[in-house]
Each structure stands twice: as C-alpha cells, then as structure tokens.
Amino acid sequence: MPTYNERDSLPVTLAHLMEHVRCDVLIVDDNSPDGTGAIADELAQNHTTIHVMHRQAKDGLGAAYIAGFQWALERHYDLVCEMDADGSHQPHDLPRLLAQAEADASLSGVIGSRWVAGGAVARWPWHRQVLSRGGNLYVKFMLGLPLHDATAGFRVYRANTLEHLNLQDIESHGYCFQVDMTRRVISQGGAIAEVPITFIERESGESKMSGAIVREALLRVTQWGIDRRKSRVSQWVTSLRAQRNKP
C-alpha cells in the first residue's frame, strides 16, 4: 500500500481492511510531508500485522510498488496484493479478488476492474471517466491486451509470477506501471482475470493524477505498441523467407 500525504485516509482504510481480510499489510511511504509515515509507525506499533517501509523521496508509484513486491518476496508470501490507501479501493472487495486467485491456480493475477460488467466508478467527473475508458481502449488497441482495465491499481499477484519478472528492469513510474506489469505478465504466458469492483473517488487529500503521468503513459504505450508491430512484421518476414527457401 503506497502512501504519499494520506494521513487522513490511511487509518480509515486500514481499519476497514482489517474488518474484511486477515492479512499482513506493508505501507510504503515516500517521505510524506504531511506526516503519514509517523501515523503509519503508530499504527504498526499497535498491530503486529502492519509493517512500514520508509523511502527517502517521492520516487514514483512504480518504484514504491517494486519495493513492496521485493519485501513480500523476501518473506515468502504466496499472494501479493496492491491497493490504494486513499479509500478509492474498497477493502470489502478484496476477499473476492483473493477468492478468484485461490479458486483458479492457472491465474497469474487478478485485477479489480471498473470497466467489466458489474464494475463502476463513483464521484468521478465525466472527463476522468473518458480519460480512463479511452486510455484502456488505446492500451488494448496498441498492445492487444485481453483486458478491460489494464490501468487498474487494485490487484492480486501470485508471488511466483513476480519472481519470474525482472522487476528491476521496470522503469515506468506513474499509472503506466500497471500497464507495464500487465503486458509483462501476459507476454510470459500468464493469465489475468478481472473481477468487478466499485471505484470510489477519494473524499480527502489530492489526486496524484497529473499531466506528466498521462504523458508518460501515452508515450510508453505508443512505443510499446510500435515495438510490438515491428516484432510481428519481423516474424512474418522471417517466416515468409523460410517458406520460400524450403526445397
């Protein structure tokens, strides 16, 4: 659970989470100037299942998740979850994501999806919905990912899936990180299921969405899509030449 300036929402989110799921929680705080890290430490002192990682600078969402994944892998968990601390991801939805992962051993991961049947968003202005839906359509078009919500950040991964990814090779920082993880899992033959959730816009604090994050996602997805098409053309040419050279 990455945090940056979530002092008001973090205690509420953790309280609700502990009501619905028995799990260990790692809070990865990027030196929040509002004191979120200190509040996280206080919560950890009172709950043995809460742990805190303090990072010295705001180094991007992707880097925070990678640090959390590595922490989990070092401690040999079977399932590793990611969710926001701002209340937009509902803790009562997590048991359904976990149940899906536990019911189907062939899955590499499970996504809490806003854009499948039964999924929804609340308190989002129309332009945020257009941005999210349009972004996911663009991802599907450019990368061919068989998902409706590749940008979602409410997820469960199998630890052995994360172990087989070169996490240190991932350079995506913003919400593009979720797309990057998705394409890497699927490119290695992994399967990801989508479970409908209701995403609720935060009531306190400020959204981390920015123009820089949108630009990073657009540029990276475009480049990945171009590389994918070049690779497919190259494979087609190689196959055609092999057919022509057959005796």
Side-chain angles (χ1 to χ4, degrees), residues 187-218:
S187 69
Q188 293 191 1
I192 299 177
E194 292 183 277
V195 171
I197 64 163
T198 297
F199 179 99
I200 300 179
E201 178 66 356
R202 63 166 66 228
E203 291 186 348
S204 61
E206 296 181 358
S207 173
K208 308 303 188 296
M209 181 62 71
S210 68
I213 288 174
V214 174
R215 285 192 295 274
E216 182 206 19
L218 178 60

Side-chain angles (χ1 to χ4, degrees), residues 41 52 62 68 73 87 123 139 165 171 176 179 181 191 217 239:
D41 285 336
V52 185
L73 293 177
R123 298 201 297 264
V139 166
L165 297 178
E171 297 180 350
C176 184
V179 179
M181 286 290 294
S239 176

Side-chain angles (χ1 to χ4, degrees), residues 146-231:
L147 297 168
H148 296 84
D149 200 354
T151 62
F154 194 8
R155 302 185 174 207
V156 176
Y157 288 110
R158 293 198 186 284
N160 58 14
T161 294
L162 298 176
E163 287 172 345
H164 287 90
L165 297 178
N166 186 0
L167 295 175
Q168 293 301 324
D169 188 47
I170 300 176
E171 297 180 350
S172 305
H173 294 291
Y175 290 93
C176 184
F177 172 79
Q178 311 297 357
V179 179
D180 201 351
M181 286 290 294
T182 304
R183 74 184 186 94
R184 288 170 185 264
V185 170
I186 291 177
S187 69
Q188 293 191 1
I192 299 177
E194 292 183 277
V195 171
I197 64 163
T198 297
F199 179 99
I200 300 179
E201 178 66 356
R202 63 166 66 228
E203 291 186 348
S204 61
E206 296 181 358
S207 173
K208 308 303 188 296
M209 181 62 71
S210 68
I213 288 174
V214 174
R215 285 192 295 274
E216 182 206 19
L218 178 60
L219 291 173
R220 288 189 182 274
V221 169
T222 299
Q223 186 60 58
W224 293 333
I226 291 172
D227 292 343
R228 173 174 175 264
R229 282 159 174 76
K230 286 182 178 179
S231 177

